Amino acid sequence: MELTSPKIIKQIAADYGFVFKKGLGQNFLTSGKILEEIAEAAEIDDGGVIEIGPGFGVLTNELCKTAKKVVALEIDERLIPILADTMAEYDNLKVINKDCLKIDMRALIEEEFGGETISIAANLPYYITTPIITSLIEAKLPIKNMVVMVQKEVAERIQAKPSTKDYGALSILCQYYTDPEIVTIVPAGLFVPPPKVDSAVLKMRFLDEPRVRVNDESLFFRTVKAAFSQRRKTLLNCLASNFPLGKEKLSEIMESVGIDPRRRGETLSLKEFASLSDALGKESK
Ligand code: SAM
């Protein structure tokens, strides 16, 4: 079945009385080339894959061709019988009717893949993009690659470099644990129904070790959050509202690691955030 064909998608929807739910981010992909790019970027190599939001199964189909096993999490129960038909030829697929934000991913990987390192592939529903990416990254799961279709703006924020308008706490979180890379930009017209904005396929390869070494990860992320709390203010003012050490002491700490207190948070590299949070940690001891 040619699931990339808009005509077939509309036919399936009509046959099953399926009406697209905007609230669930149901925009189905119609480009075979993009599907191949997603599957290739996921580097499945006969391994395991978790797919989030299979829809009618257009990406699932591509993943099942090369994976040892695919586990697809779909929140919409109306899609379960449709997937049983469209994916009938595969015996390496398990579809689970659950909300990916509410499932215990660690237990799922253990149960379905014996704890083996897996890949994640998804054309993500846009309303959950940030929470799902953040939770998958923070959970420190056995994942080697995450290849996700997201809004173009979000992909740009995730891979942004210091001193650019897109650089922020999300860029730092993602770059601390992974190597993010935009694989390709996907115009809105390649989806049925088309969303309002263009998308991008983003590949995040998990690093063996975090990109920078820090003494206390939670303090590192607290420092980052504080630095971006008020974008127009200096780093000193942002930190002062979040760390009750007094401006004089804070300036001293910043200067001790070579950071000018008048700089703005968005100019700091991950390495600078690491030395700053380590210095703040020493002071609070
Ligand atoms: N994979 C298909 C494709 O590429 O055409 C469909 C992708 S569509 C953008 C997003 C899919 O995610 C829909 O099937 C939607 O029902 C499902 N979905 C939405 N929220 C979800 C959630 N919280 N957990 C699991 N699936 C979800």
Side-chain angles (χ1 to χ4, degrees):
M1 207 183 295
E2 210 38 77
L3 291 169
T4 48
S5 151
K7 208 172 138 205
I8 301 276
I9 294 174
K10 283 172 193 156
Q11 188 60 53
I12 295 174
D15 289 351
Y16 289 85
F18 180 85
V19 180
F20 290 84
K21 270 194 191 157
K22 212 172 159 193
L24 288 179
Q26 289 176 338
N27 306 101
F28 293 178
L29 187 59
T30 63
S31 161
K33 181 173 164 282
I34 306 285
L35 290 168
E36 279 168 23
E37 285 183 308
I38 297 175
E40 194 187 320
E43 295 175 30
I44 299 164
D45 304 329
D46 197 29
V49 187
I50 292 182
E51 186 194 2
I52 294 165
F56 286 172
V58 74
L59 175 60
T60 324
N61 176 60
E62 197 62 37
L63 300 170
C64 283
K65 285 186 204 160
T66 48
K68 186 159 67 185
K69 182 174 180 183
V70 177
V71 171
L73 304 174
E74 175 55 64
I75 197 172
D76 189 345
E77 63 182 3
R78 300 173 305 157
L79 288 165
I80 308 304
I82 303 182
L83 283 163
D85 291 345
T86 56
M87 298 292 108
E89 67 183 282
Y90 296 110
D91 55 13
N92 58 340
L93 168 66
K94 180 166 180 177
V95 177
I96 301 179
N97 182 204
K98 282 211 172 123
D99 181 342
C100 66
L101 288 174
K102 293 196 181 139
I103 204 158
D104 179 343
M105 283 285 181
R106 186 174 303 281
L108 182 75
I109 297 173
E110 189 54 51
E111 241 163 67
E112 300 293 342
F113 301 98
E116 253 176 49
T117 302
I118 58 143
S119 302
I120 302 267
N123 171 10
L124 283 179
Y126 292 162
Y127 77 104
I128 58 163
T129 308
T130 316
I132 189 70
I133 290 180
T134 314
S135 70
L136 286 171
I137 287 185
E138 284 175 340
K140 301 186 179 170
L141 300 165
I143 299 174
K144 62 172 178 176
N145 268 314
M146 182 147 86
V147 181
V148 285
M149 175 92 71
V150 297
Q151 302 95 305
K152 183 168 157 268
E153 287 69 22
V154 176
E156 284 166 350
R157 273 167 51 206
I158 287 177
Q159 64 144 39
K161 296 289 170 238
S163 298
T164 62
K165 71 168 180 14
D166 292 328
Y167 188 61
L170 184 64
S171 333
I172 294 174
L173 172 71
C174 293
Q175 292 173 28
Y176 180 76
Y177 290 114
T178 79
D179 211 356
E181 174 203 345
I182 292 181
V183 176
T184 188
I185 303 293
V186 186
L190 289 182
F191 298 86
V192 169
K196 287 210 174 71
V197 292
D198 288 340
S199 300
V201 174
L202 179 74
K203 172 175 181 171
M204 282 181 270
R205 187 178 57 80
F206 282 71
L207 303 169
D208 295 332
E209 294 289 330
R211 191 174 300 274
V212 290
R213 205 179 270 278
V214 296
N215 293 334
D216 177 345
E217 275 187 359
S218 78
L219 180 60
F220 172 74
F221 288 113
R222 208 179 124 209
T223 310
V224 170
K225 205 172 156 206
F228 288 102
S229 55
Q230 291 150 294
R231 271 193 105 101
R232 278 190 214 128
K233 289 203 171 170
T234 62
L235 185 58
L236 176 61
N237 282 333
C238 288
L239 291 189
S241 334
N242 290 275
F243 293 91
L245 290 168
K247 283 196 181 171
E248 207 170 306
K249 187 76 211 165
L250 283 169
S251 296
E252 209 178 279
I253 296 173
M254 286 183 221
E255 273 155 10
S256 77
V257 288
I259 296 171
D260 184 333
R262 288 165 305 181
R263 282 173 65 183
R264 287 177 203 278
E266 67 257 31
T267 66
L268 265 64
S269 65
L270 267 76
K271 218 164 160 219
E272 287 178 310
F273 272 117
S275 24
L276 178 57
S277 75
D278 282 355
L280 282 165
K282 269 188 216 140
E283 206 48 51
S284 346
K285 270 190 188 147

